[in-house]
Amino acid sequence: MSDNISATIDIPKSRFIKPCGMTSDNAPLDPVTIVIFGGGGDLSRRKLIPTIYHLFKENLLPDDFSVIGFGSPPDGDDVSYRERIVLSIKEFEPGLYEKEGFDTFLNHVFFEGGYFDDISKYENLKKRLNSSPGHNVIYYMSVHPSFLPQIINNIKSCSLNDTNYNPRIVVEKPFGTDQKSALELNSLLHSCFEENRIFRIDHYLGKETVQNIIYLRFANIIFEPLWNRNNIDSVQITVAEDIGVEHRGKFYEQAGVVRDIVQNHILQLMAFIAMEPPVGFDADAIRDEKVKVFNSIRMMDDEYVSKNCVQGQYGSGMIGGQKVSGYRDEFRVASDSKTPTFFAAKMFIDNWRWADVPFYVRTGKRLPKRCTEVIICFKRPPLKIFGTACDDIEQSLLRIRIQPNEQISFFTNVKYPNDAYRMSRVSMNFDYKDYFKEKNYPPYSRLILDCLKGDLTLFVREDSIKALWSIVDPIINKLESSEYTCPNYSAGDWGPVEADNLLKRDGRSWYTD
């Protein structure tokens, strides 16, 4: 570790702690330079640059800011980079584009063309950073993980991690491919940055409804007495996509659905649902409770995985009335690929609150619709007091829908009008878009703002990474060594039939509407 790196940063710890009369989104920000390694790449063009421009349009950036793209093409310059950015905005976020405002934004954007192993380009970058003294510096790693060692070592060699820059580094998922590689990556990052300067980003955690789980649970006393094994029968978590792998075939062949979705998105949602009330709402208090959940998830040996986990791969089928190809026909996918695009499992959290409550999770591509939601299934009443016509009372449900529309719905049983013994389940719905007139910022906007503030609450800590991989490594190892028929579900279906049977044998079924 470099001797000139301080272990402390004078920054706010959490979005949930705010001075009276000031919200976290209008607090003044210090001058900043955002260096995007891979600034000309796909993620930068589709997400990062449009997000930063969005923040600029909403006056959420400091007046004194700059963005420096770093990478290919090696002969690129400020002018050519700005031209490419204009094309990107017009292609991916045409509704954002306004020529006059965008021209002003472009005056803050620069480019350092070069290869990641060329030390001279880092010296050039250093000169650019030194021309803006007093700027905080954020290094955003919008690159393939294989480039990280080169970049981190060159940042260190050129002292770009010096505390004069108050540096922070943002690292995209996937964070390793297993626990061993994740620990090696953590060690690499810690050779250059303190843990409280490392922002491991999961864009799902930037979604408003995910954050609102904390408020729903801990700002409403009505839920806490019910939020346990005594009243909750089971929990369902669904992360469904109707799209295929699109342009990510090469990546997906290496990753598969468990590394891509389960290791991060699904387990993070489980933690928010299952965590204990934190002792305070600073970043580490919340992340401490999440780690406790990860460490309480029941470990799965080969026998457990065989019985309680299902993998699948989509074939051709119909989505939205259109014929679509199977996974093996996608670009850069092997014709005999066994890579799973669907996963379902029954999982348990072995602690006092959740003992013996099954958490059913499923995720997949080319499913009937795009939908991410959590369903809390409450137990049925203990006595059947309404007569034989009402013996099969439906469960009360709390649905937290995260996308595509952000909603919280409560499903409960009521008497049907003019019928003495007829019951009906009705829903009470809260829709963010309909209720709140304020603008709902995209997830990357929320997370980049938090990074500018130094708020680590929604970012993944080192010990969480270790715990998450300890959960999924046994699953991946078993599934990758298991033979299964490919494909085993058609595009447009809810996965292989074994996923339905996973619940049917317990007398339950997946909730879909």
Side-chain angles (χ1 to χ4, degrees), residues 365-420:
K365 291 189 175 296
R366 288 300 188 199
L367 300 182
K369 62 181 179 180
R370 174 176 175 257
C371 178
T372 299
E373 63 185 20
V374 178
I375 308 290
I376 310 296
C377 305
F378 292 93
K379 291 183 176 181
R380 290 179 172 86
L383 293 176
K384 300 176 181 180
I385 62 174
F386 297 102
T388 56
C390 298
D391 278 353
D392 296 324
I393 296 177
E394 293 190 89
Q395 291 173 292
S396 296
L397 305 173
L398 178 66
R399 183 182 69 193
I400 304 169
R401 178 164 285 174
I402 292 158
Q403 63 180 20
N405 53 323
E406 297 179 313
Q407 281 185 337
I408 298 174
S409 304
F410 188 60
F411 296 82
T412 187
N413 297 303
V414 300
K415 177 183 174 296
Y416 194 85
N418 305 316
D419 194 321

Side-chain angles (χ1 to χ4, degrees), residues 31-205:
V32 66
T33 296
I34 304 173
V35 181
I36 305 176
F37 287 90
D42 190 63
L43 176 64
S44 180
R45 293 171 56 241
R46 289 174 178 267
K47 297 292 185 181
L48 301 184
I49 293 298
T51 294
I52 295 171
Y53 175 54
H54 166 80
L55 295 175
F56 171 78
K57 282 189 66 176
E58 296 296 324
N59 296 314
L60 294 172
L61 294 178
D63 293 334
D64 191 3
F65 80 95
S66 57
V67 178
I68 303 175
F70 188 108
S72 297
D75 58 350
D77 57 20
D78 296 347
V79 173
S80 62
Y81 187 54
R82 291 169 179 173
E83 291 172 348
R84 292 167 66 196
I85 284 176
V86 171
L87 294 176
S88 296
I89 290 289
K90 288 181 176 180
E91 179 180 359
F92 298 115
E93 293 289 349
L96 277 178
Y97 183 74
E98 296 174 356
K99 186 178 188 310
E100 182 177 350
F102 202 73
D103 287 345
T104 303
F105 171 74
L106 289 176
N107 292 330
H108 296 263
V109 177
F110 309 92
F111 190 74
E112 183 64 48
Y115 297 111
F116 297 135
D117 61 353
D118 186 348
I119 193 70
S120 67
K121 299 300 181 180
Y122 293 79
E123 294 291 351
N124 292 346
L125 174 62
K126 188 172 185 176
K127 292 176 183 177
R128 286 184 182 263
L129 296 180
N130 290 341
S131 67
S132 301
H135 273 214
N136 295 329
V137 178
I138 294 173
Y139 300 114
Y140 202 113
M141 300 292 113
S142 179
V143 297
H144 190 276
S146 62
F147 291 115
L148 289 177
Q150 292 177 354
I151 296 172
I152 300 301
N153 288 328
N154 284 330
I155 285 176
K156 185 166 53 175
S157 296
C158 294
S159 299
L160 289 169
N161 60 330
D162 191 285
T163 51
N164 291 334
Y165 301 113
N166 192 19
R168 299 163 193 164
I169 183 168
V170 181
V171 184
E172 283 275 348
K173 77 174 187 73
F175 200 88
T177 57
D178 54 19
Q179 189 182 76
K180 181 177 181 293
S181 61
L183 293 177
E184 290 171 352
L185 180 51
N186 274 330
S187 179
L188 173 68
L189 290 169
H190 287 148
S191 72
C192 194
F193 300 94
E194 294 287 350
E195 175 64 23
N196 57 3
R197 298 180 185 271
I198 301 171
F199 292 71
R200 301 173 188 85
I201 195 168
D202 181 346
H203 69 273
Y204 259 54
L205 301 187

